[in-house]
Amino acid sequence: MTEEEFDAFYATAFPRLTGQLYAFTGDHGEAQDVVQEAFVRAWDRRREFLADGAPEAWIRTVAMRLAVSRWRRARRWLELVRRTPPPEHTPGPDPERTALVAALRILPEAQRMALVLHHLCDMSVEQVASETGAPVGTVKARLSRGRAALAQVLSADSTDEEEREDDRVR
C-alpha cells in the first residue's frame, strides 16, 4: 500500500473504526486514541497491508487489544490505589508559602517565570535564559525587578498583618 493509498484508507476507515471502538469502550476519546495508535502501528507495515487482504480487520483487532490492555492497566492501578490507604492528614500550605504564591501571582509573567525557575527550580541564570529564550541580561533584570516587587508586596502584607495584630490587642 502506497502512502497515498494508506492516507485514503485512513480517511475512510478511521471514522468507522472509531465508531466501532466507541461502542466497545463506551468512551469516544479512548476509542479515538486506540484507533489512532493502531493506525500508527499499521503505518510501519503499510507495504504488506494489501497482501494481508483485510487491513481494516487488522487495525480493528489491534485497536481492541489496545483498549483491553489499557482497561486492564487502569483496573490494576485502581486496585493498587484502593489497597493503599490515604494519608491520615495532609497539612495545608503554611502561611508563608500562601503569601509567596499570592505575591508571585501579582508579578508580570516574565518576572514570575524567571523567579520560579531560578529560585524554586534551582536553575542558573544561564539555564533560565536558555529555557525562556531570553538573553542573560534580560533574565538578570527580570530577577532583580521581580525580587524588588516581591519584597515590596510581602513587606506590605507583613505590615498589614502587624496592624491587624495591633488592632486586636487594643
Side-chain angles (χ1 to χ4, degrees):
M1 188 179 287
T2 66
E3 288 185 21
E4 293 79 24
E5 290 171 329
F6 189 88
D7 288 345
F9 169 63
Y10 176 86
T12 58
F14 183 81
R16 185 172 41 253
L17 288 167
T18 300
Q20 294 166 0
L21 267 290
Y22 174 52
F24 181 68
T25 64
D27 182 338
H28 192 259
E30 180 72 11
Q32 288 176 323
D33 286 349
V34 294
V35 171
Q36 184 67 37
E37 176 66 25
F39 269 103
V40 168
R41 292 180 182 191
W43 176 257
D44 292 334
R45 39 187 359 248
R46 69 184 178 282
R47 301 218 189 288
E48 63 239 21
F49 242 42
L50 283 179
D52 290 346
E56 191 168 327
W58 186 89
I59 290 178
R60 182 177 24 263
T61 302
V62 170
M64 287 186 151
R65 288 178 181 165
L66 286 167
V68 168
S69 178
R70 286 180 174 196
W71 179 79
R72 285 180 179 151
R73 206 171 319 134
R75 190 180 69 191
R76 272 183 270 158
W77 180 84
L78 186 58
E79 289 171 2
L80 176 66
V81 168
R82 285 183 180 159
R83 278 188 254 144
T84 306
E88 291 295 320
H89 179 282
T90 304
D94 61 348
E96 291 84 18
R97 185 173 192 86
T98 304
L100 176 62
V101 170
L104 282 168
R105 286 183 180 153
I106 295 170
L107 298 179
E109 183 181 350
Q111 290 177 9
R112 181 173 56 240
M113 177 72 75
L115 286 167
V116 167
L117 291 175
H118 184 66
H119 293 289
L120 299 179
C121 297
D122 293 326
M123 295 174 82
S124 69
V125 173
E126 291 77 18
Q127 290 171 320
V128 173
S130 174
E131 181 85 14
T132 60
V136 172
T138 302
V139 171
K140 289 179 180 179
R142 288 174 181 169
L143 287 169
S144 176
R145 290 182 188 126
R147 284 190 288 256
L150 265 182
Q152 187 176 9
V153 170
L154 292 174
S155 68
D157 285 350
S158 66
T159 303
D160 292 345
E161 184 64 33
E162 289 171 9
E163 289 174 3
R164 281 181 260 160
E165 284 291 322
D166 289 344
D167 289 343
R168 283 187 233 157
V169 172
R170 289 183 202 165

